[in-house]
Amino acid sequence: MTTSSGFTPLDPEHPTTDEIPFIYPAHWEADVVLRDGATANLRPVLPTDRAALEKMYAGQSERTIYLRFFTHKPKLSDKELTRFTTVDHNNRVAFVMMLGEEMIGIGRYDRTNDPAEAEVAFMISDAHQGRGIGSILLEHLAAAAHERGIDRFSAEVLPQNRKMLNVFTDAGYEITREFEDGLVMVHFNIDPTDRSRGVMEAREHRAEAKSIAELLAPQVLAVVGSADNWERTGHKVLKTLVKGGFKGKIYGVNEAAHPAGDIPVLESITQVPEHVDLAIIAVPIKDVPAVVEACGQAGARGVLIYTTGYADDGVRGRARQKALVKLARSHGMRVIGPASFGLLNNNPAVQLDATISSQDPGPGSLGLFSQSSAIGAVLSNSAVRRNIGVSSLISAGNRADVSGNDIMQYWEDDDATGVCALYLESIGNPRKFSRIARRLSRAKPVVLAKNAVTGQQLPPGHSGRTAITPPSALDSMFKQAGVIRAETIERALDVTQILVSQPLPAGRRLAILSNASALGQIVADRAEELRIEVTLTETMLRLTDEAEDGLEILEAVATSALESAEVDAVIGVFITGESIDPQDVARVLHRAGQQSGKPILASFPGALSDQSTLRGIWSETDHSQEQESEGEGGACLQEGLACFESPGESILALGAVMDYVEWRDKETGALAVPEGISPKAAAADIATHLQAEAGAGSSGPVTLDDLAVTRLLGHYGISVLPEYRFDTPEQAIAAAAQAGGYPVVLKTTDSFLRHRIDLGGVRLGIESDEDLVSEIAQMHRTLEPYGHFDLALQKQVPAGQTAVLKAVEDPLIGPVVSFGMAGDATALLDDWAHRIPPLTERDVYKMVRSPKAASKLFDPENRHTARTDLLEDLCARVALLKDNHPEIAHLELNPILLSPDTMTVVGASIQLAQSAQRTDSVRRAMSS
C-alpha cells in the first residue's frame, strides 16, 4: 500500500521490485571523484540498502544525529528504515554514496504540497566528512528534480549546522534564509546558473587533478607480478623504477615472494606495512581481478595495469573490462589501462619511470598522453629522438577509466608542464573535453593528434554511442577550444618542438633566410596559403666564401631580422654539404635567437647523413638544462633550436602555432547571451508536446506544426515569416490580403520541392490576383510529374542572400549547430560551419564567416552587403535554444533571407524526441 509517509512493502526486509511504484532510474547511477581524488559510486537508493544505512547510522556521533534529526535517536526504527530506503523515484527521491558495500552518505528530497518544490536533507558518514560528498549529492538531486518538474529546494537546518548551510551556499545557488522556531529555513531555485556551473566545474577540476596527481607522485608504490614469470614481469618493472631513481618506497609482490635485490618482496599487497598509493599490475589476465580486489583491500588509491586482453578482445574482453573498472571504483581506486604503456614523471622530487620502454625522454615542459600503448611508445621514442624534454607521460591504454580529460585537469595545475600533447582514438565526453581544453588552452598550448574516427565513437568497453554529425563538426569543436590539431603524430611533435623551445610569435609576419632561392620560394608560397605574411626574404646567403665568413654574415642577417619590428618569426632553410656542418649553422641561428624573444626555426633538407640535429631540438647542452625565460604556464623553455628536415613541415608547424596565438589573443570567453528569451516557457511547451505524443502511444519523434514551431521559436525571440495555406484560388486571394498584400511568393508545402525554384516548387514576384490564380494553375501542372502537393503563400520580402541554420542533438557530442549558405553547392561540397554550444561571441562571429560561400555576405565592392549582425544574433539564439533543450532532436531554419537592411526567417521546422542524458551535464559523473 502507499501512504503519505511513503511506500511500505509486505516484507520490509525483502521488498520486491514489483512493490516499488516507479521504475528504477538506472540512468541516475554514476561513479564520481571525491574531493580527495578517490572514487565512489552514487546511485538511487534501494530497499535492500536498509542494512547499510543502519550500519552507517550506528557509527554516527550524537552531535551528527542531533543536527540531522533535531533530537537524539539511538537507532532508526523499522518504519524509518523503510521510509528512507523505499522511494518512488518521483515525489520522493534518494541517492546513496557507496564505497564498496559501505554507505558513506545519503541525500534525499520529498516533494512538498507545492509540486514545483521539494524539501532536501542529507546525512554524511562521520568517517567520511570533508570529502565533498554532500555537494555531489546535491548536484545529482537537483538534476533528478529537474527531470521530475521540480524548480526549487527547501531545507530546515539547525543554526549550528554550519557544514550543511555551507553546502547550500557554496553550491552557487541564490539562497534565501528565514529564522523560524529555532530553525534556519533555506530556500533556493535549482535552475543552473553561471555561478553554480562554475562552482561545479571548479570542484570537479580540483578533485580530478588531485586524483591524477596522486597517481603520478606516489609515496609508496607496489609492483605486483607473477611468480611463474617474475623476472620478465614484476622484477623487470622494479629494475626500471630503481634505475629511474624513484624517490618513494617500493615493494615487490608475487605469490612466492621471489626476491628482487634489495627491494622487499611480499606474497600479497595486503602485507605491505604502509599505505600504498599506486599498485602496478603485471600479471596474467586471469589473475588481474583478484589482484585488483587485494589492492582495494589494501587501500591503494590507484592501479596501473599493463595486462592486455580486455576491450581489445571483443565482446568478452569488453565485459571483463567493464567489470574490472566497477571493481576498482567500488574500492575508491582509479585505473590506468588496461594495456597501458606506463607512466613517467620527471619531477626531480618524484622521478617515477614506470614505462615498459628501455629509454625514456628526459625532463622538460611537455606533457604527453596517449590512449594507445603502441602510440605511447611511439611518442616516447620520438620525443627521445627529437631531444624533447617531458614533464609527464601517461599511457591510458584502453582508457577504461583515466582519460585525457583527467590528465588535462592535472596539467592545468602542474607548474612543470607548459605544453600539453594528446593522442586520442576516441573522446568519450566531447563537451567536457571542449570545456576543459578551452580553459587549459588559454594558459597552455594543447596539441591533439587524432586518427580518422577520433571523437566519432566511444572507446572499446564503453557504452555504444556514436556520433551522427560529420567529423568536421568535431574538428570545429577542437578549433573552438583553441586546440592545435595535427593529422599525424609526427606533425604533432613538429608543433610541440617549437612550443617547448621557442617563444610564441607575437603575430603572423615572417622572415625567410636561405642559401637557395628555390627553397625560400617553397616556404614563401606555403606561408601565403597559411595566411602568413612574408615581410623579409634573404635567399642568396652564401655559407662558404673564400673572401668572407658566411656564417658570420648569416648571424648578422638573422640578428637583424629578429630585431626588426616587421618580423615576428624567422625560418632558416639551408642546403649543407661536405663543406659546411649543419651544426655550425644551427649554432649561429640559435645564438641569434637567444636574446630576441622571437621564435627562430631551421630546416636542413637533402642531408645525406642521418644526424639528429636535422630533426628535433638541437642544443650543445643536455636538453634538461633550461633557459631562464619562461614559456606558457610558467614552465621554462627548453634550451635549443627547433630543427626540421622538410621546409614544408617547418612552415606548417609554425602556422599552427601562429593560429593558436591568434585564437588565444582574440578569445574572450564571453558567452553570447541574447536578450528576450524565456527558457521555462519553451521547456513547458516542449513537455506538453512530448506528453501529448506519449499519451497517444507514440514513442517516435514529434514533428511540430507551423503554429507550434512559431510559438516555440518565439520564446527565444526568433520570428518566422507567416505562411498561409489554401485549397482554392479564392482562399489564395484572401490569404494574399492576410499576408499584407502583393507581392507574394507561391510555394509547395513539400519539404524538398518548397526550396527548389529550378524544379518549379517556388514562384516569386506575384503582383496581382490574376497572376496568383495563373501561377497556382501553372505550379500544379509543373509539379504533376512529382505528384499532387498542397500550396501556400508568403509575403515577398526584400531580395538578398539565402542561408540555412540547423541544430541537432548528437548522441555522443550533444548539441551541434550548423550554418551554411542555401543551395546545392553547400550540400555537395559540405560547405558548413559547425559549432558546439555554448558559444562565445567570437564563436558566433567566426561561424557566419567560416563557410566558403559565406563570402557572398561580405562582397568587397559592397554591392550586396547583408545584415550579418542580425544573422549573428540569430545564430546565438538558436545555439542557446539547442543547448537548453536537448529534446529538440532537429531544428532547421531554411531559408534565411538576408538583405542589406533586413533578415527574415522564411521557413522553419522542428522535431522533438525524448533526450538521453548528455555527456556533460550539471552533475559530476565519470565516464561509464
Side-chain angles (χ1 to χ4, degrees), residues 257-271:
H258 289 324
D262 296 332
I263 298 173
V265 179
L266 307 169
E267 294 179 2
S268 171
I269 193 172
T270 57
Q271 298 174 352

Side-chain angles (χ1 to χ4, degrees), residues 165 421 490 579 647 679 712:
L165 290 171
E490 288 301 308
S579 59
L712 180 54

Side-chain angles (χ1 to χ4, degrees), residues 155-185:
E156 296 180 349
V157 186
L158 287 169
Q160 57 267 47
N161 194 354
R162 295 191 176 276
K163 286 185 178 179
M164 187 50 58
L165 290 171
N166 288 340
V167 167
F168 300 133
T169 303
D170 295 344
Y173 297 115
E174 294 293 330
I175 308 293
T176 62
R177 304 187 189 191
E178 300 173 2
F179 192 74
E180 183 180 321
D181 296 331
L183 296 174
V184 178
M185 312 298 293

